[in-house]
Amino acid sequence: MTTTGEEHRAAGGPWWWERRRSAVLDGGLALGSALECAVEGVGFAEGAGLPAGIGVLLGVVAGSVLVVRRRWPVAVVLVAIAVTPAEMGFLLATVGLYTLAASQTPRRIIGVTTGMSLAATLIVTLMRTHQGMGDMAGSGIDVWFLPLMSVLASVAMTAPPVLLGLYVGARRRLMESLRDRADSLETELQLLAERAEERADWARGEERTRIAREMHDVVAHRVSLMVVHAAAVQAVALKDPQKAVKNAALVGDMGRQALTELREMLGVLRAGEALSGSARAGVPLAAVGVAAAAAASRAGAAEDGPSLAELEELLGHSRAAGMSVELSVQGEARGYAPQVEQAAYRVVQEALTNVHKHAAGAGAVVRLAHRGDEVAMQVENGPPPARAGAAAMLPSGGNGLVGMRERVLALGGVFVSGETEAGGFRVSAVLPAEPLSAGGADRPQAPAGLEGGLGRRSG
């Protein structure tokens, strides 16, 4: 956690000081400057013919101005320039110039005040040097020596504090900018972490939804057929034992297929849990990578499973359960992306499952159309016979249509379902040949149903 300027100020100090030690430092400098100016004020008062007390008082007041150097650095330098002719305030001028150069004062003001201080120091130094050289008349010293010594002395008293102040101020501003940048980076990292957590929660929710949809599609269809065949076995057990045996065998086959598919899905889930647990336990990255590749291959195999090539077998299961199912295919069959193949298969499967659940005894028509850049499917059933009622007693969780819509929209397709004028039900879907990478629900065309030969739009 970085320490910002705001936290420094929060540490607390009297008045304009950010910290108490800064106030103590300035107070000590002001006391030392006041003592220096008071001592030098005695000599000034003697030279000017004034009482010594006035010189001391003038020195104390001038030297004490150093206490406000952080608040008004320009005023401190101006006071130092004002008392320069009195030959007092060396500490005042040095610290004042340093503070002014290190502050946030504009550079032009720093340059003007530094030039004024240099000129005042040069004039006083030149006068004092001239007086000293007058006492050494006839010593043979060159004329240029006097101005040269005055310039060197003035620069030596003015340049070092200004240069040091400029360096310290630049370094301080650099540290503040780095500190602010570190604070902004920390804030950005926190935002990124929050967004990553949100994305992880969203991904977990999407994965749970996908798993629930897969489980529903795998279990609901086969269990529905098993219930239908079990009801048929019960109905014909005494009248036609051979047909009852055949239906019982179909129930067993479907149960085994359902268990096989469930084992595959649960195997992928357990592999993912084992992978995450191994990563937390500190297993070497190579082992984690191997496990991840194995789980991914199994998951890929599970996702690539059902396809349109198995559609006839799917319809055969429904026909074996006593449903009259017709298949109409338009266009030349071709291979699609695995996600498209699986989604198309699941839509037809779930639509037939709904016919078994809600329209037992009704016939169904499955239409499949292969187009240039999409594949369309429609499952339509007529009204159930009045005598069929709820013979199979199949429960419904209300998730079938929701799952079909989610599958289709996730791939960028359109989905429409609803009752027909004849009292039956129609499920229509159009899937693109190449699925969208993400968020395919926002397609430009309006949702469309499929009518007759899958060529006309319907509401």
Side-chain angles (χ1 to χ4, degrees):
M1 190 70 178
T2 57
T3 304
T4 63
E6 296 294 334
E7 292 172 344
H8 281 308
R9 284 188 285 276
W15 297 330
W16 57 82
W17 287 284
E18 297 177 356
R19 296 183 293 273
R20 290 185 178 86
R21 64 179 183 179
S22 299
V24 173
L25 175 62
D26 290 353
L29 290 174
L31 180 61
S33 178
L35 292 176
E36 177 203 353
C37 292
V39 173
E40 294 170 344
V42 175
F44 168 72
E46 292 178 355
L50 298 174
I54 296 179
V56 172
L57 179 61
L58 178 62
V60 170
V61 172
S64 300
V65 175
L66 201 58
V67 76
V68 297
R69 70 184 185 94
R70 298 178 190 267
R71 187 68 179 271
W72 297 294
V74 177
V76 173
V77 175
L78 292 178
V79 170
I81 294 173
V83 299
T84 299
E87 299 184 22
M88 66 173 65
F90 175 77
L91 179 62
L92 176 65
T94 303
V95 177
L97 288 172
Y98 164 80
T99 305
L100 178 63
S103 66
Q104 301 287 344
T105 307
R107 292 298 177 87
R108 62 178 181 276
I109 297 179
I110 296 176
V112 171
T113 52
T114 301
M116 293 171 60
S117 177
L118 178 63
T121 305
L122 177 62
I123 293 172
V124 173
T125 304
L126 186 61
M127 292 176 59
R128 286 301 179 186
T129 306
H130 181 72
Q131 291 177 0
M133 295 299 294
D135 297 338
M136 300 173 60
S139 60
I141 300 177
D142 293 336
V143 179
W144 55 266
F145 180 75
L146 177 62
L148 179 60
M149 293 299 298
S150 301
V151 171
L152 292 177
S154 302
V155 172
M157 287 186 292
T158 305
V162 173
L163 294 178
L164 180 61
L166 290 175
Y167 167 75
V168 172
R171 184 176 180 274
R172 183 182 301 160
R173 286 187 289 273
L174 176 61
M175 295 301 295
E176 289 177 356
S177 66
L178 292 177
R179 191 179 299 121
D180 293 340
R181 184 178 300 179
D183 292 340
S184 63
L185 288 176
E186 184 177 359
T187 303
E188 291 179 4
L189 287 176
Q190 291 177 352
L191 292 176
L192 289 175
E194 293 175 359
R195 291 180 181 177
E197 185 175 357
E198 292 176 358
R199 285 195 295 269
D201 293 338
W202 176 84
R204 284 192 290 268
E206 288 292 315
E207 186 64 15
R208 284 194 293 267
T209 303
R210 188 187 70 82
I211 293 173
R213 185 167 59 241
E214 292 289 340
M215 298 278 289
H216 176 272
D217 291 343
V218 169
V219 174
H221 178 72
R222 299 200 182 279
V223 173
S224 298
L225 292 179
M226 291 169 63
V227 174
V228 171
H229 282 293
V233 170
Q234 184 179 4
V236 302
L238 298 178
K239 299 178 182 180
D240 191 348
Q242 293 183 352
K243 187 175 182 180
V245 171
K246 182 179 179 181
N247 287 337
L250 288 175
V251 171
D253 292 339
M254 292 178 184
R256 283 187 290 272
Q257 292 175 2
L259 287 175
T260 300
E261 293 182 357
L262 282 176
R263 286 194 188 99
E264 291 177 356
M265 295 184 62
L266 293 177
V268 173
L269 293 177
R270 287 175 178 173
E273 293 177 357
L275 174 61
S276 60
S278 299
R280 288 193 296 268
V283 175
L285 291 178
V288 175
V290 172
S297 64
R298 287 194 295 270
E303 290 184 357
D304 295 349
S307 64
L308 292 176
E310 305 173 25
L311 197 58
E312 191 63 43
E313 181 182 356
L314 176 66
L315 301 183
H317 293 162
S318 295
R319 293 190 184 106
M323 180 189 296
S324 174
V325 185
E326 298 180 6
L327 175 62
S328 173
V329 180
Q330 294 182 2
E332 184 178 355
R334 56 193 178 92
Y336 299 99
Q339 305 96 309
V340 176
E341 293 268 350
Q342 183 181 8
Y345 180 92
R346 293 301 189 191
V347 167
V348 176
Q349 181 188 53
E350 182 59 30
L352 292 177
T353 301
N354 287 341
V355 176
H356 285 292
K357 287 182 179 180
H358 307 291
V365 177
V366 179
R367 299 183 178 92
L368 185 66
H370 301 279
R371 297 169 179 168
D373 57 350
E374 62 185 13
V375 57
M377 65 225 64
Q378 181 186 87
V379 179
E380 181 178 352
N381 64 274
R387 58 181 176 79
M393 298 295 290
L394 292 173
S396 175
N399 296 318
L401 293 176
V402 176
M404 285 189 282
R405 180 180 297 274
E406 289 177 352
R407 281 186 179 278
V408 173
L409 296 184
L411 298 178
V414 291
F415 178 85
V416 174
S417 63
E419 296 182 357
T420 63
E421 296 179 356
F425 199 83
R426 179 189 298 121
V427 173
S428 305
V430 179
L431 291 170
E434 294 295 333
L436 298 182
S437 57
D442 300 331
R443 296 194 71 184
Q445 67 265 35
L450 304 175
E451 191 74 28
L454 300 178
R456 290 181 293 161
R457 304 283 186 181
S458 67

